[in-house]
Amino acid sequence: MHSTAPQPMLRTVVGDLAPGSVRGPALVHEHLVLDLDHRGDGAAVLHPDRHAAAVTAELAALREEFGLGLVVELTCRGMGRDAAALARIARDAQVAVVVATGWYYEPFHTPEIAAADVDELTATLVREIDTGIGSTGIRPGVLGEIGSHGDTPTAAETKVLRAAARAAAATGLSVATHAQLGRGGLAQLELLTAEGVEPHRISIGHQDLLDDPAVHREIAASGAYVAFDTVGKDSYQSDDTRLRLLLALLEAGHADRALLSCDISRHGYLRTEGGQGYGHLFRSFLPKARAAGVDDGLIDLMTRCNPLRFLTGAGAGVEEI
């Protein structure tokens, strides 16, 4: 018997979208517009004017070649977020884009965090989710990338994680985290669930940078998602190691908890500048996974079904998407 309850919708920068209309893969942790330039060298930047054309062209090419259907853009408050620019990119590339809200890890915290308590920060997030970002009217569709660094979050990061959790509980959005170099994911999970977020609404980020399959299994066994989301960033980790870790997670029976992405976070990663680009997952990593025995059904599960279930809170059944 089929339920007559309304299906949850994806909230994108150009309006709500039925999950079932996304027939191709998703990138669940990317940046299309970004400014993390604390050193003044301009490297950790994706400028809405200087780089948007290259970003748009890459996404459009991936839509044509691989059917790219969705990008989850996790640039949040204090990271150079620009919702209007994201809407332009989404329209021009004809790829759905979800914009985020929240705060990154402590070195990038905005002054409001020190001045506010958890309830005040929660109210800030809920207001943005309900009414839109600034004057754009564009509403976030995910909380992320909520950051911490080290094995346990700092006091300020703990405050932000709790606020994100409470905002998630109040609005029905999911939470994607930034676990610096893969560390601290279990502590993030404990904090978020303690505030009432169900594990299947949580994605623990950058786990492909942590060479610890036991941690990955523990996160997945809880029901949370394990994000292998820095694919192609060889300066942090080799893709061979990433693939070994992913295969271990799949062999442990947790394919339905895996998320994949590239986390393009500086203009030097763009293909026009000689970088691996947003398509590295599809052009390089997934062919290696196929060669290692990962079939197309598992790839569709990890790159389309899991992202849609994470964002909407759909249950375990793939047929729901």
Side-chain angles (χ1 to χ4, degrees), residues 120-181:
E120 291 167 326
L121 294 177
T122 302
T124 296
L125 297 177
V126 170
R127 184 167 55 250
E128 196 163 78
I129 292 164
D130 286 345
T131 65
I133 297 167
S135 61
T136 66
I138 296 170
R139 299 167 66 198
V142 68
L143 287 137
E145 55 180 301
I146 312 301
S148 72
H149 65 299
D151 292 327
T152 56
T154 67
E157 290 166 349
T158 295
K159 189 160 59 167
V160 163
L161 282 158
R162 286 184 170 147
R166 293 180 190 181
T171 63
L173 295 190
S174 296
V175 181
T177 76
H178 165 93
Q180 179 77 356
L181 300 179

Side-chain angles (χ1 to χ4, degrees), residues 121-307:
L121 294 177
T122 302
T124 296
L125 297 177
V126 170
R127 184 167 55 250
E128 196 163 78
I129 292 164
D130 286 345
T131 65
I133 297 167
S135 61
T136 66
I138 296 170
R139 299 167 66 198
V142 68
L143 287 137
E145 55 180 301
I146 312 301
S148 72
H149 65 299
D151 292 327
T152 56
T154 67
E157 290 166 349
T158 295
K159 189 160 59 167
V160 163
L161 282 158
R162 286 184 170 147
R166 293 180 190 181
T171 63
L173 295 190
S174 296
V175 181
T177 76
H178 165 93
Q180 179 77 356
L181 300 179
R183 294 172 58 197
L186 291 173
Q188 292 179 340
L189 183 60
E190 182 178 358
L191 267 170
L192 293 168
T193 55
E195 291 288 346
V197 186
E198 295 180 276
H200 73 282
R201 304 307 300 268
I202 298 168
S203 166
I204 301 298
H206 308 327
Q207 291 307 290
D208 51 334
L209 301 181
L210 182 73
D211 193 346
D212 192 339
V215 169
H216 301 157
R217 291 193 300 270
E218 187 171 351
I219 293 169
S222 79
Y225 289 91
V226 182
F228 283 57
D229 54 11
T230 67
V231 174
K233 287 188 168 182
D234 290 337
S235 62
Y236 292 93
Q237 184 81 281
S238 73
D239 275 357
D240 287 344
T241 298
R242 287 187 180 90
L243 182 56
R244 170 174 57 80
L245 294 169
L246 178 63
L247 292 174
L249 189 66
L250 301 186
E251 288 161 8
H254 296 303
D256 62 343
R257 298 294 103 184
L259 297 172
L260 304 174
S261 209
C262 298
D263 189 20
I264 299 301
S265 55
R266 50 183 60 211
H267 59 84
Y269 291 140
L270 298 174
R271 294 190 92 197
T272 53
E273 300 194 18
Q276 68 270 35
Y278 298 96
H280 179 87
L281 176 68
F282 308 117
R283 296 189 176 104
S284 178
F285 188 78
L286 290 178
K288 290 179 181 177
R290 287 187 177 95
V294 180
D295 64 31
D296 286 344
L298 282 178
I299 288 173
D300 182 62
L301 176 65
M302 293 187 290
T303 63
R304 185 182 65 86
C305 299
N306 288 353

Side-chain angles (χ1 to χ4, degrees), residues 70-90:
L70 179 69
V71 175
V72 183
E73 216 279 7
L74 291 182
T75 305
C76 58
R77 300 170 70 90
M79 296 178 73
R81 183 184 58 177
D82 188 329
L86 294 181
R88 291 192 296 270
I89 290 169

